[in-house]
Amino acid sequence: MTVTVPAVIDRYYRLIGERDVDAFVACFTDDAIVAEGDRTYDGLAAIRAWRERTVAEYAYDAVPETVEAEAGGNLVVTALVSGTFPGSPVRQRHRFTLRDGLIGALDIRQ
């Protein structure tokens, strides 16, 4: 199934399986917020640290399966995430808030 998403979200998913932290972080606005599980990463430095830690611990890919537009302009992408982490593979919902062509907020809490 082909899922159509804005260019920055497509880039985000392509970079998930790569180790280019700079390119990954460049998908986000300067004041972006990422919420994952019970943690929140506020700003590019925190997002960079989160990404560096994640790629050091696991190898994984995420393949978008569905995309839904929400009121207010958010996009919710359901992706199949598989890799070297416990419980792989899993389906995760990623709620994106876009600003100026970049990711302003990402919520991947389940």
Side-chain angles (χ1 to χ4, degrees):
M1 166 187 254
T2 300
V3 177
T4 303
V5 295
V8 71
I9 294 176
D10 179 61
R11 191 165 55 249
Y12 169 87
Y13 283 110
R14 281 189 292 108
L15 290 167
I16 289 262
E18 299 179 12
R19 295 182 124 33
D20 187 342
V21 174
D22 290 334
F24 182 86
V25 172
C27 293
F28 294 87
T29 62
D30 290 344
D31 60 348
I33 297 173
V34 173
E36 179 190 43
D38 61 351
R39 302 191 71 183
T40 300
Y41 306 94
D42 193 350
L44 292 182
I47 292 169
R48 175 179 295 282
W50 163 66
R51 181 64 180 163
E52 287 172 343
R53 187 187 76 252
T54 302
V55 297
E57 292 179 21
Y58 307 108
Y60 63 100
D61 286 306
V63 177
E65 296 182 321
T66 64
V67 61
E68 303 169 44
E70 289 186 325
N74 292 338
L75 294 174
V76 178
V77 178
T78 300
L80 181 62
V81 182
S82 57
T84 60
F85 57 89
S88 175
V90 297
R91 280 193 171 71
Q92 289 184 329
R93 289 174 46 93
H94 300 156
R95 178 174 284 111
F96 292 90
T97 302
L98 301 182
R99 240 181 19 252
D100 301 324
L102 296 173
I103 301 167
L106 172 58
D107 186 341
I108 50 180
R109 295 173 289 186
Q110 298 300 308

